[in-house]
Amino acid sequence: MVLLTTLTLAWPAQAQTNWPSFRGANANGIAREAATPMVWNVDKSDNILWKKAIPGLGHSSPIIWGDRLFVTTAVNERKTAALKVGLYGDPGSAEDNEVQQWKIFCLNKSTGDTLWAKTAHQGVPKQKRHPKATHANCIMANDGKNVVAFFASEGLYCYDMDGNLRWQKDLGTLRISPVVYNDVPDPKGADLEWGFASSPIIYSNRVFVQCDVLTNGFVAALNLADGKEVWRTRRDDTATWSTPNICADAPRPQLVVNGWKHMGGYDLQTGEEIWRMSGGGDCPVPTPMVWNGLIFLMSSHGPRKPIYAVRTDAVGDVSLRNGATTNRYVAWSSLRGASSMQTPLISGDYLSSCHVAGHNFCFEARNRM
C-alpha cells in the first residue's frame, strides 16, 4: 500500500511560463508572466485545472518547462509511509526504512496526463528521514533539454525530456544529522538522521550541488553532458538544507551558499572560495537571494536570527566582528527578522521574510530601513 499525494494545478492552461528549478529562475519565486488565481478551492474544484494522485511521499515541488511538468516521489513498497507535520519537539527519525522506489513523473501541464514515469533507483534507503520530511525532498532542475533529479545518497540522475537516462552519479552517503542545535553542540545529534533537501541547479552547461553533511561536506560542479565532475571544494560545516544560487553579475561569477560555520561564494569555473562569512543560525534552510549587487543570506534556527546583505564584489573573510553591523563588503545586517524555513522574497525594492511563527518582516532591500 502507498500513500497517494495529490498534485493540483491552478494555472491557466495556456500559460507557458517555465519554472525550471527551485523557486523558478534565479530562485526568485516570481512568475511574472503567469496569471495566478488569488483564490482556489481544491474540494470544490474552484480555479483548479486538474488533480493528479502521485504514489508515495515527496516534498519536492514540481518544475515546468513548456507543456511538461516534472515531479519526484519515493514509494515505500511495503507500507503506507507516515508523515507527521506540525509544530512539535520530537527530533527523532521516521521509521520508513523499507525498500523504496525513487520515481520521476512527467505530466502534461494542461491535462495532468502522465507522459512518462521512470524509477531512478530502488532499494533500502541509505539514510533515515525526519518525520516531517520524505525521501524525495530535492526539487529537480531543467534547462529544456535535460532533467536533473537528486535523490541524495541514492544518486544524482540526468534524463532527457522524453525520459531517457543520460547519466547517473553516485555522490556517496550524504548523512544529514543536527550535530549543532540551538547554536550548541547536540550530544545526541550525530545519532539522528533527518534527510537531505538541497536541490541541484543548472547553469552554463553545468550542474551545481551543495552537500553540507556530517562528514566530508562539499560543493561541486558536474558537466551537464556526461555527469563528470568538473570541480569539488570541501566544506567543513554542520548539516544544512539550503539550495545554492548563482550570482552571475559579479566581478567573479560565483556559486553562493548558506551555512552556519561559513556562508560564502565559490568561483563558478574553478570552485575556488572567493569569500566567506560566519554568524548564521544553525540548521540553515533559506537559499541565498541575489538582487542589484547584493547577496542576501539569512537563517533563524537557534538564538540568532540574522539577515546579511553582502556586496557581490566581496572577497576574503567578510564576517562582522565586535558588534559591527556593516563593513566594507556587508552593506547592512539585522539581528532579527530572518526566516527559518522559507527563502525570502524580493519584489520591487522590498525584501520580505516570513517566519514559521507567523511573523512577516519587510525591509527596504537596499538599506534595510
Side-chain angles (χ1 to χ4, degrees), residues 263-276:
M263 302 160 275
Y266 298 86
D267 188 286
L268 286 182
Q269 296 301 316
T270 66
E272 179 186 1
E273 181 182 276
I274 300 173
W275 63 273
R276 68 162 52 201

Side-chain angles (χ1 to χ4, degrees), residues 4-342:
L4 295 181
T5 299
T6 300
L7 181 67
T8 66
L9 191 70
W11 290 352
Q14 69 274 16
Q16 291 298 315
T17 303
N18 294 328
W19 197 260
S21 54
F22 174 63
R23 284 173 50 96
N26 306 119
N28 62 24
I30 298 175
R32 300 189 184 279
E33 300 175 9
T36 306
M38 300 298 292
V39 177
W40 63 89
N41 186 303
V42 175
D43 294 332
K44 297 180 179 179
S45 295
D46 293 343
N47 272 328
I48 300 299
L49 183 62
W50 51 260
K51 295 188 291 186
K52 179 76 172 184
I54 303 295
L57 287 178
H59 277 348
S60 61
S61 298
I63 62 170
I64 291 174
W65 195 280
D67 62 354
R68 299 189 178 199
L69 180 149
F70 304 87
V71 69
T72 66
T73 184
V75 182
N76 187 311
E77 291 188 350
R78 290 188 54 193
K79 68 180 184 182
T80 298
L83 187 67
K84 184 181 179 182
V85 298
L87 295 176
Y88 56 89
D90 182 7
S93 304
E95 295 300 325
D96 184 19
N97 309 316
E98 292 81 8
V99 173
Q100 312 268 332
Q101 294 181 24
W102 283 266
K103 301 179 75 69
I104 301 168
F105 284 83
C106 174
L107 311 179
N108 183 293
K109 188 190 73 173
S110 299
T111 66
D113 294 337
T114 300
L115 301 178
W116 54 264
K118 299 291 182 178
T119 299
H121 182 77
Q122 183 176 7
V124 175
K126 296 178 182 178
Q127 296 293 292
K128 295 180 180 180
R129 63 171 175 86
H130 194 281
K132 296 181 183 180
T134 75
H135 286 301
N137 300 316
C138 305
I139 296 162
M140 288 180 287
N142 190 331
D143 68 348
K145 297 180 180 179
N146 304 275
V147 183
V148 175
F150 195 12
F151 293 117
S153 299
E154 276 62 51
L156 182 69
Y157 299 84
C158 180
Y159 292 81
D160 66 20
M161 295 290 282
D162 295 320
N164 299 304
L165 181 65
R166 300 191 63 196
W167 53 263
Q168 63 187 71
K169 178 78 171 181
D170 183 357
L171 294 175
T173 299
L174 304 176
R175 188 179 181 197
I176 292 285
S177 302
V179 293
V180 175
Y181 202 75
N182 288 330
D183 268 3
V184 296
D186 185 345
K188 298 181 180 180
D191 297 327
L192 301 175
E193 294 174 359
W194 281 3
F196 193 87
S198 182
S199 300
I201 53 176
I202 295 174
Y203 182 80
S204 189
N205 296 317
R206 290 183 178 178
V207 180
F208 296 91
V209 294
Q210 177 181 357
C211 300
D212 285 347
V213 292
L214 187 60
T215 57
N216 301 318
F218 61 91
V219 288
L222 298 89
N223 191 319
L224 182 57
D226 55 18
K228 292 183 179 179
E229 205 165 279
V230 178
W231 55 257
R232 177 186 293 216
T233 301
R234 187 173 183 272
R235 276 179 56 79
D236 177 22
D237 211 320
T238 64
T240 71
W241 292 265
S242 174
T243 295
N245 204 352
I246 298 293
C247 179
D249 186 18
R252 292 177 66 181
Q254 57 195 263
L255 182 76
V256 290
V257 302
N258 205 346
W260 182 68
K261 289 184 180 180
H262 55 109
M263 302 160 275
Y266 298 86
D267 188 286
L268 286 182
Q269 296 301 316
T270 66
E272 179 186 1
E273 181 182 276
I274 300 173
W275 63 273
R276 68 162 52 201
M277 183 179 194
S278 62
D282 64 68
C283 299
V285 176
T287 289
M289 295 295 295
V290 180
W291 175 88
N292 286 3
L294 295 174
I295 301 166
F296 296 93
L297 302 119
M298 66 173 64
S299 51
S300 72
H301 195 276
R304 290 180 290 184
K305 296 175 174 57
I307 302 174
Y308 302 108
V310 179
R311 303 186 194 280
T312 55
D313 62 349
V315 292
D317 190 337
V318 305
S319 303
L320 295 173
R321 293 181 172 85
N322 302 320
T325 59
T326 65
N327 60 28
R328 177 180 177 183
Y329 293 119
V330 179
W332 64 264
S333 66
S334 175
L335 294 179
R336 62 189 297 269
S339 59
S340 174
M341 296 291 179
Q342 299 87 345

